Amino acid sequence: MPDKTDERQRICCKIYTQGETKMYLEEYKRWLAADLEDADLTPELSRIQGNDDEIKDRFAISLAFGTAGLRGVLGAGTNRMNIYVIRQATQGLANWVKTQGGNQTVAVSYDSRIKSDVFAKTAAGVLAANGINVRIYDALMPVPALSFATRYYQCNAGVMVTASHNPAKYNGYKAYGPDGCQMTDDAAAIVYEEIQKTDVLTGANYISFAEGVERGLIKFVGDDCKKAFYEAVESRQVRPGLCKTAGLKLVYSPLNGSGLVPVTQVLKDIGITDITIVPEQEYPNGYFTTCSYPNPEIYAALEKGLELAKATGADLMLATDPDADRVGIAMKCADGSYELVSGNEMGVLLLDYICAGRQEKGTMPAAPVAVKSLVSTPLADAVAAHYGVDMRNVLTGFKWIGDQIANLEAAGEVERFIFGFEESYGYLSGSYVRDKDAVVASMLICEMAAYYRSIGSSLKERLEAIYAQYGRYLNKVDSFEFPGLTGMDKMAAIMQNLRNDPPAEIAGVKVTEARDYKKPEETGLPAANVLYYVLESGETVIVRPSGTEPKVKIYYTTKGKDLAEATARKDMYDAAMKPIMG
């Protein structure tokens, strides 16, 4: 089966040929002449008049709509995020919803990004104009809260306005199915077809947000739903009551995003009260003035928090990204320094903690299941096997973890799911939502740190004990960017060249197995643009294009007697792969 998302991106990102050159200029002139409702757009269009490169960049292609929805730079044009592209996308979604029966309701949420609230209300206005009911949060709330509301109100779909951890100039639009999981390929393909039928400036039905409220079509998410979300998160405690007496000292940063209210609410509910918020990153600010890239995977995003942790002597520093579906931490070491914990390491720590704690408390279900993306560390497979947990490996993208939860639910066995994670700092415990949840992850990380503190240990000591027991694994990701209109073509050429001429060795180490995940008959998984190489050493090299950014990512898993040896082996493979990336 062909990869539908790849195909949609190929079509959406088509550059006009020479015979069609005037088409993007005509579209630009149409926008320039229109009476646009967003006051920011017309000055931008006037400013680029006569600049063919700038016009082409905005109008020669359209933002691709796939299972990850839309994501792009804010501004004027079909290749930008603005109210007209939002209207067009939402009309496509509305056309699909109207064929689905059910209660004809869509949940909507948004984060702190520039114009997120405007885009959320714009989407609500399109849905209401199509006779579809809307449940929208009255203030910014994160991805997991949107997923929860979609399930709570038995909606046909959900919309989250966010660009996750991208820089401030981006925004995006995530579409969810009725299960609270990101939209399936099949549903996204239908929405995409409907978007193509909708004129970007004039094709969407639309009424104002105020009119939608007056007509009773737009309602706010109720306190009952918010309370139920917090209760669902707090029900995932492994050792309830522990945090009230453990005395954990925490520094937390919501990175100017949507995590502040839900994360601090849950932590205080479970007994963690010594929380110092990073003041410069406390309140919503879509310009992210303290870190240009608000991604908890990188040091720069945690720098302010680390400074505060050192000043206060905190046990733990924690940061959630703007839409609060990812969380990163720095743990305190014995010498008083702080060490960042990778997504793979935290996934392993949480899996180990949940398994050991639930076995101790007698709350481990029969035949427990954990799920991770296939690019995440195989150390988690070893830990799962130790505790008798069935570890399932799925494609990258949390919807595939959600799909495993749905299968268990359909079989009446959803309680078997204990934990899921991706190396990109996304974690979930429980089936109440179907996407990454930094709220529950923050709670469990703090509980875990409090537990180890209470027994005279630490996160650092436990991680080192895990490495001593299972071996020193190292997982690193390298990203190669391919910006511009030809970026997609360059990425496709790299992947095709690797398929046409697969490497027999990497850095002199023989490739013993090459898996092409575009061949579901060979992998047993849905088709995906992923190449997976198993080396004679037992180490792995995985190549895949990002689904949301113009990047090709290479995932390395190496193993050594210590970190230095594992790092040296990673560097060796990295040097061999770089020329292939051009």
Side-chain angles (χ1 to χ4, degrees):
M1 186 178 73
D3 188 311
K4 294 178 181 177
T5 301
D6 281 357
E7 179 64 12
R8 282 196 300 281
Q9 287 179 337
R10 185 186 67 77
I11 296 169
C12 270
C13 293
K14 173 179 74 68
I15 302 170
Y16 288 110
T17 62
Q18 201 164 20
E20 300 171 300
T21 300
K22 296 297 181 186
M23 290 181 65
Y24 68 81
L25 290 173
E26 292 303 316
E27 183 66 6
Y28 162 71
K29 291 174 183 176
R30 189 167 76 102
W31 280 60
L32 186 62
D35 184 17
L36 300 179
E37 295 172 42
D38 186 334
D40 293 335
L41 301 183
T42 299
E44 179 184 347
L45 292 168
S46 298
R47 189 171 64 251
I48 64 171
Q49 196 161 10
N51 188 328
D52 190 67
D53 288 342
E54 292 286 353
I55 294 169
K56 184 182 290 186
D57 186 46
R58 289 164 174 76
F59 290 96
I61 60 176
S62 296
L63 289 179
F65 185 95
T67 54
L70 299 167
R71 191 175 298 186
V73 174
L74 290 156
T78 57
N79 190 33
R80 293 289 189 271
M81 288 293 298
N82 53 68
I83 59 171
Y84 298 101
V85 168
I86 292 289
R87 288 181 187 180
Q88 182 189 40
T90 308
Q91 185 63 54
L93 179 68
N95 291 350
W96 175 78
V97 167
K98 287 187 283 189
T99 68
Q100 297 303 297
N103 60 15
Q104 294 290 285
T105 302
V106 175
V108 179
S109 188
Y110 56 95
D111 69 3
S112 62
R113 286 184 172 274
I114 299 166
K115 299 198 175 182
S116 278
D117 57 338
V118 174
F119 292 166
K121 290 179 178 179
T122 297
V126 172
L127 292 164
N130 282 276
I132 295 167
N133 297 297
V134 177
R135 284 283 188 169
I136 186 170
Y137 279 98
D138 56 1
L140 72 168
M141 282 290 276
V143 158
L146 182 277
S147 178
F148 187 85
T150 302
R151 295 173 60 80
Y152 185 86
Y153 290 112
Q154 298 180 322
C155 295
N156 296 84
V159 170
M160 179 74 198
V161 179
T162 178
S164 189
H165 53 275
N166 279 48
K169 66 181 180 179
Y170 285 84
N171 211 327
Y173 178 106
K174 291 182 180 178
Y176 288 76
D179 58 354
C181 201
Q182 284 195 39
M183 189 166 273
T184 65
D185 282 350
D186 289 341
I190 296 169
V191 172
Y192 166 72
E193 290 173 5
E194 294 299 324
I195 289 171
Q196 294 300 101
K197 299 174 186 175
T198 305
D199 183 88
V200 66
L201 289 180
T202 62
N205 299 319
Y206 180 71
I207 59 174
S208 71
F209 185 82
E211 184 179 347
V213 172
E214 289 170 5
R215 288 168 54 177
L217 287 161
I218 299 174
K219 296 179 181 178
F220 291 107
V221 170
D223 288 341
D224 55 334
C225 179
K226 297 175 188 175
K227 181 182 177 183
F229 173 64
Y230 292 135
E231 289 175 347
V233 170
E234 291 163 22
S235 73
R236 305 310 302 175
Q237 293 174 80
V238 176
R239 293 180 169 91
L242 169 78
C243 293
K244 293 178 180 177
T245 58
L248 184 77
K249 191 176 183 67
L250 173 71
V251 166
Y252 168 58
S253 173
L255 294 180
N256 300 118
S258 61
L260 177 65
V261 171
V263 170
T264 56
Q265 174 75 53
V266 166
L267 293 183
K268 288 174 181 175
D269 285 350
I270 69 168
I272 296 176
T273 56
D274 192 347
I275 306 172
T276 302
I277 309 295
V278 178
E280 303 95 329
Q281 299 173 339
E282 181 171 6
Y283 297 113
N285 175 4
Y287 293 96
F288 307 117
T289 49
T290 62
C291 59
S292 59
Y293 192 33
N295 182 353
E297 297 180 53
I298 63 173
Y299 175 82
L302 276 63
E303 195 167 10
K304 291 285 185 185
L306 284 166
E307 291 171 2
L308 194 55
K310 291 170 186 174
T312 60
D315 299 298
L316 182 68
M317 188 268 148
L318 181 150
T320 53
D321 69 344
D323 60 345
D325 62 353
R326 302 171 193 245
V327 57
I329 77 151
M331 59 186 175
K332 191 176 185 179
C333 301
D335 63 359
S337 65
Y338 291 84
E339 181 179 317
L340 270 59
V341 181
S342 74
N344 276 312
E345 288 174 329
M346 182 50 67
V348 167
L349 279 166
L350 283 170
L351 176 65
D352 173 73
Y353 176 74
I354 290 168
C355 290
R358 293 191 68 167
Q359 285 187 353
E360 174 194 317
K361 295 293 184 181
T363 57
M364 182 73 95
V369 172
V371 191
K372 70 177 181 69
S373 60
L374 61 88
V375 298
S376 299
T377 180
L379 176 55
D381 298 82
V383 172
H386 174 77
Y387 289 105
V389 173
D390 174 16
M391 175 60 79
R392 301 180 180 179
N393 287 276
V394 297
L395 297 175
T396 302
F398 221 86
K399 67 176 182 176
W400 299 112
I401 295 175
D403 186 55
Q404 289 293 318
I405 302 172
N407 292 341
L408 290 168
E409 187 174 53
E413 301 174 345
V414 75
E415 74 285 347
R416 291 176 58 196
F417 174 74
I418 60 168
F419 184 59
F421 83 97
E422 291 187 317
E423 52 76 35
S424 54
Y425 292 60
Y427 318 97
L428 176 64
S429 176
S431 60
Y432 58 95
V433 296
R434 298 296 162 81
D435 208 340
K436 303 178 288 289
D437 183 2
V439 182
V440 77
S442 297
M443 181 192 76
L444 286 170
I445 290 167
C446 289
E447 183 194 307
M448 177 170 60
Y451 170 71
Y452 291 130
R453 187 181 191 277
S454 73
I455 62 172
S457 184
S458 66
L459 288 176
K460 174 67 173 176
E461 286 185 34
R462 183 58 197 158
L463 182 59
E464 291 304 322
I466 289 171
Y467 282 136
Q469 181 175 353
Y470 299 99
R472 190 42 168 107
Y473 286 77
L474 177 70
N475 303 91
K476 289 289 184 181
V477 184
D478 280 349
S479 293
F480 298 84
E481 293 195 26
F482 297 90
L485 296 176
T486 61
M488 293 293 291
D489 291 335
K490 291 176 183 175
M491 290 162 61
I494 287 168
M495 298 302 290
Q496 192 57 51
N497 289 340
L498 283 169
R499 288 188 167 93
N500 294 341
D501 187 18
E505 52 82 23
I506 299 175
V509 182
K510 183 180 178 183
V511 174
T512 57
E513 183 182 358
R515 302 177 203 159
D516 184 351
Y517 281 85
K518 272 205 169 181
K519 299 177 179 178
E521 68 278 6
E522 295 179 7
T523 65
L525 294 174
N529 196 5
V530 178
L531 294 169
Y532 192 116
Y533 303 110
V534 181
L535 307 181
E536 194 170 38
S537 60
E539 296 160 315
T540 59
V541 176
I542 305 169
V543 186
R544 64 174 284 268
S546 169
T548 56
E549 300 171 280
K551 295 178 179 179
V552 173
K553 295 185 176 183
I554 304 181
Y555 302 78
Y556 299 96
T557 295
T558 57
K559 191 176 179 183
K561 64 180 183 293
D562 54 26
L563 178 59
E565 183 179 344
T567 301
R569 294 189 65 80
K570 181 268 174 187
D571 292 343
M572 177 179 75
Y573 296 132
D574 182 35
M577 293 298 293
K578 274 183 178 174
I580 296 172
M581 296 294 113

